[in-house]
PDB file of all heavy atoms in Angstrom:
ATOM      1  N   ASP T  34      35.958  11.677   7.604  1.00  0.00           N
ATOM      2  CA  ASP T  34      35.902  10.489   8.450  1.00  0.00           C
ATOM      3  C   ASP T  34      36.572   9.344   7.701  1.00  0.00           C
ATOM      4  O   ASP T  34      35.944   8.375   7.317  1.00  0.00           O
ATOM      5  CB  ASP T  34      34.440  10.162   8.784  1.00  0.00           C
ATOM      6  CG  ASP T  34      34.311   9.045   9.807  1.00  0.00           C
ATOM      7  OD1 ASP T  34      35.353   8.607  10.329  1.00  0.00           O
ATOM      8  OD2 ASP T  34      33.182   8.614  10.067  1.00  0.00           O
ATOM      9  N   LEU T  35      37.856   9.467   7.494  1.00  0.00           N
ATOM     10  CA  LEU T  35      38.579   8.534   6.628  1.00  0.00           C
ATOM     11  C   LEU T  35      38.728   7.146   7.241  1.00  0.00           C
ATOM     12  O   LEU T  35      38.893   6.173   6.525  1.00  0.00           O
ATOM     13  CB  LEU T  35      39.949   9.106   6.287  1.00  0.00           C
ATOM     14  CG  LEU T  35      39.913  10.467   5.595  1.00  0.00           C
ATOM     15  CD1 LEU T  35      41.326  10.965   5.326  1.00  0.00           C
ATOM     16  CD2 LEU T  35      39.128  10.401   4.306  1.00  0.00           C
ATOM     17  N   GLU T  36      38.655   7.030   8.559  1.00  0.00           N
ATOM     18  CA  GLU T  36      38.772   5.710   9.188  1.00  0.00           C
ATOM     19  C   GLU T  36      37.574   4.830   8.858  1.00  0.00           C
ATOM     20  O   GLU T  36      37.666   3.609   8.899  1.00  0.00           O
ATOM     21  CB  GLU T  36      38.892   5.842  10.714  1.00  0.00           C
ATOM     22  CG  GLU T  36      40.170   6.508  11.194  1.00  0.00           C
ATOM     23  CD  GLU T  36      40.105   8.028  11.093  1.00  0.00           C
ATOM     24  OE1 GLU T  36      39.022   8.595  11.282  1.00  0.00           O
ATOM     25  OE2 GLU T  36      41.147   8.634  10.797  1.00  0.00           O
ATOM     26  N   SER T  37      36.433   5.410   8.543  1.00  0.00           N
ATOM     27  CA  SER T  37      35.217   4.648   8.271  1.00  0.00           C
ATOM     28  C   SER T  37      35.030   4.304   6.801  1.00  0.00           C
ATOM     29  O   SER T  37      34.067   3.644   6.453  1.00  0.00           O
ATOM     30  CB  SER T  37      33.993   5.434   8.761  1.00  0.00           C
ATOM     31  OG  SER T  37      34.069   5.656  10.143  1.00  0.00           O
ATOM     32  N   LEU T  38      35.926   4.759   5.945  1.00  0.00           N
ATOM     33  CA  LEU T  38      35.794   4.472   4.520  1.00  0.00           C
ATOM     34  C   LEU T  38      35.908   2.976   4.267  1.00  0.00           C
ATOM     35  O   LEU T  38      36.763   2.301   4.835  1.00  0.00           O
ATOM     36  CB  LEU T  38      36.864   5.195   3.712  1.00  0.00           C
ATOM     37  CG  LEU T  38      36.694   6.689   3.522  1.00  0.00           C
ATOM     38  CD1 LEU T  38      37.889   7.239   2.750  1.00  0.00           C
ATOM     39  CD2 LEU T  38      35.413   7.012   2.806  1.00  0.00           C
ATOM     40  N   ILE T  39      35.052   2.469   3.412  1.00  0.00           N
ATOM     41  CA  ILE T  39      35.095   1.052   3.067  1.00  0.00           C
ATOM     42  C   ILE T  39      36.280   0.771   2.143  1.00  0.00           C
ATOM     43  O   ILE T  39      36.945  -0.249   2.262  1.00  0.00           O
ATOM     44  CB  ILE T  39      33.762   0.629   2.421  1.00  0.00           C
ATOM     45  CG1 ILE T  39      32.654   0.733   3.469  1.00  0.00           C
ATOM     46  CG2 ILE T  39      33.848  -0.780   1.860  1.00  0.00           C
ATOM     47  CD1 ILE T  39      31.271   0.531   2.929  1.00  0.00           C
ATOM     48  N   PHE T  40      36.553   1.696   1.236  1.00  0.00           N
ATOM     49  CA  PHE T  40      37.686   1.568   0.322  1.00  0.00           C
ATOM     50  C   PHE T  40      38.615   2.764   0.518  1.00  0.00           C
ATOM     51  O   PHE T  40      38.611   3.706  -0.280  1.00  0.00           O
ATOM     52  CB  PHE T  40      37.206   1.511  -1.126  1.00  0.00           C
ATOM     53  CG  PHE T  40      36.240   0.398  -1.417  1.00  0.00           C
ATOM     54  CD1 PHE T  40      34.931   0.670  -1.755  1.00  0.00           C
ATOM     55  CD2 PHE T  40      36.664  -0.914  -1.337  1.00  0.00           C
ATOM     56  CE1 PHE T  40      34.043  -0.358  -2.014  1.00  0.00           C
ATOM     57  CE2 PHE T  40      35.785  -1.951  -1.597  1.00  0.00           C
ATOM     58  CZ  PHE T  40      34.476  -1.674  -1.926  1.00  0.00           C
ATOM     59  N   PRO T  41      39.442   2.754   1.572  1.00  0.00           N
ATOM     60  CA  PRO T  41      40.288   3.921   1.843  1.00  0.00           C
ATOM     61  C   PRO T  41      41.267   4.241   0.720  1.00  0.00           C
ATOM     62  O   PRO T  41      41.663   5.388   0.558  1.00  0.00           O
ATOM     63  CB  PRO T  41      41.018   3.559   3.131  1.00  0.00           C
ATOM     64  CG  PRO T  41      40.761   2.143   3.403  1.00  0.00           C
ATOM     65  CD  PRO T  41      39.624   1.695   2.551  1.00  0.00           C
ATOM     66  N   ALA T  42      41.628   3.254  -0.079  1.00  0.00           N
ATOM     67  CA  ALA T  42      42.553   3.505  -1.186  1.00  0.00           C
ATOM     68  C   ALA T  42      41.921   4.417  -2.248  1.00  0.00           C
ATOM     69  O   ALA T  42      42.637   4.998  -3.061  1.00  0.00           O
ATOM     70  CB  ALA T  42      42.979   2.187  -1.812  1.00  0.00           C
ATOM     71  N   GLN T  43      40.612   4.542  -2.237  1.00  0.00           N
ATOM     72  CA  GLN T  43      39.906   5.356  -3.225  1.00  0.00           C
ATOM     73  C   GLN T  43      39.682   6.797  -2.756  1.00  0.00           C
ATOM     74  O   GLN T  43      38.976   7.554  -3.414  1.00  0.00           O
ATOM     75  CB  GLN T  43      38.551   4.714  -3.551  1.00  0.00           C
ATOM     76  CG  GLN T  43      38.665   3.319  -4.120  1.00  0.00           C
ATOM     77  CD  GLN T  43      39.383   3.319  -5.446  1.00  0.00           C
ATOM     78  OE1 GLN T  43      39.182   4.193  -6.267  1.00  0.00           O
ATOM     79  NE2 GLN T  43      40.234   2.336  -5.664  1.00  0.00           N
ATOM     80  N   GLU T  44      40.285   7.166  -1.636  1.00  0.00           N
ATOM     81  CA  GLU T  44      40.019   8.487  -1.072  1.00  0.00           C
ATOM     82  C   GLU T  44      40.313   9.620  -2.053  1.00  0.00           C
ATOM     83  O   GLU T  44      39.528  10.557  -2.186  1.00  0.00           O
ATOM     84  CB  GLU T  44      40.838   8.696   0.199  1.00  0.00           C
ATOM     85  CG  GLU T  44      40.525  10.015   0.863  1.00  0.00           C
ATOM     86  CD  GLU T  44      41.732  10.681   1.483  1.00  0.00           C
ATOM     87  OE1 GLU T  44      42.759  10.001   1.663  1.00  0.00           O
ATOM     88  OE2 GLU T  44      41.636  11.872   1.754  1.00  0.00           O
ATOM     89  N   ALA T  45      41.407   9.544  -2.798  1.00  0.00           N
ATOM     90  CA  ALA T  45      41.757  10.605  -3.744  1.00  0.00           C
ATOM     91  C   ALA T  45      40.697  10.736  -4.837  1.00  0.00           C
ATOM     92  O   ALA T  45      40.311  11.851  -5.206  1.00  0.00           O
ATOM     93  CB  ALA T  45      43.123  10.332  -4.367  1.00  0.00           C
ATOM     94  N   LYS T  46      40.205   9.612  -5.338  1.00  0.00           N
ATOM     95  CA  LYS T  46      39.156   9.660  -6.372  1.00  0.00           C
ATOM     96  C   LYS T  46      37.861  10.227  -5.805  1.00  0.00           C
ATOM     97  O   LYS T  46      37.158  10.977  -6.481  1.00  0.00           O
ATOM     98  CB  LYS T  46      38.927   8.274  -6.953  1.00  0.00           C
ATOM     99  CG  LYS T  46      40.066   7.802  -7.809  1.00  0.00           C
ATOM    100  CD  LYS T  46      39.787   6.470  -8.441  1.00  0.00           C
ATOM    101  CE  LYS T  46      40.975   6.028  -9.263  1.00  0.00           C
ATOM    102  NZ  LYS T  46      40.753   4.757  -9.934  1.00  0.00           N
ATOM    103  N   LEU T  47      37.547   9.851  -4.566  1.00  0.00           N
ATOM    104  CA  LEU T  47      36.338  10.386  -3.938  1.00  0.00           C
ATOM    105  C   LEU T  47      36.445  11.893  -3.767  1.00  0.00           C
ATOM    106  O   LEU T  47      35.503  12.629  -4.061  1.00  0.00           O
ATOM    107  CB  LEU T  47      36.099   9.726  -2.578  1.00  0.00           C
ATOM    108  CG  LEU T  47      35.725   8.249  -2.602  1.00  0.00           C
ATOM    109  CD1 LEU T  47      35.717   7.693  -1.192  1.00  0.00           C
ATOM    110  CD2 LEU T  47      34.380   8.048  -3.271  1.00  0.00           C
ATOM    111  N   ARG T  48      37.573  12.345  -3.306  1.00  0.00           N
ATOM    112  CA  ARG T  48      37.756  13.791  -3.117  1.00  0.00           C
ATOM    113  C   ARG T  48      37.686  14.539  -4.448  1.00  0.00           C
ATOM    114  O   ARG T  48      37.132  15.628  -4.508  1.00  0.00           O
ATOM    115  CB  ARG T  48      39.063  14.065  -2.404  1.00  0.00           C
ATOM    116  CG  ARG T  48      39.028  13.624  -0.959  1.00  0.00           C
ATOM    117  CD  ARG T  48      39.925  14.473  -0.099  1.00  0.00           C
ATOM    118  NE  ARG T  48      39.890  13.975   1.250  1.00  0.00           N
ATOM    119  CZ  ARG T  48      39.120  14.472   2.205  1.00  0.00           C
ATOM    120  NH1 ARG T  48      38.317  15.474   1.927  1.00  0.00           N
ATOM    121  NH2 ARG T  48      39.141  13.984   3.413  1.00  0.00           N
ATOM    122  N   SER T  49      38.227  13.957  -5.523  1.00  0.00           N
ATOM    123  CA  SER T  49      38.150  14.641  -6.820  1.00  0.00           C
ATOM    124  C   SER T  49      36.704  14.733  -7.297  1.00  0.00           C
ATOM    125  O   SER T  49      36.300  15.738  -7.881  1.00  0.00           O
ATOM    126  CB  SER T  49      39.022  13.949  -7.861  1.00  0.00           C
ATOM    127  OG  SER T  49      38.506  12.691  -8.201  1.00  0.00           O
TER     128      SER T  49
END
Side-chain angles (χ1 to χ4, degrees):
D34 187 6
L35 302 179
E36 294 80 34
S37 299
L38 286 177
I39 294 172
F40 303 114
Q43 300 297 320
E44 184 217 344
K46 289 184 181 182
L47 292 172
R48 290 210 182 263
S49 69

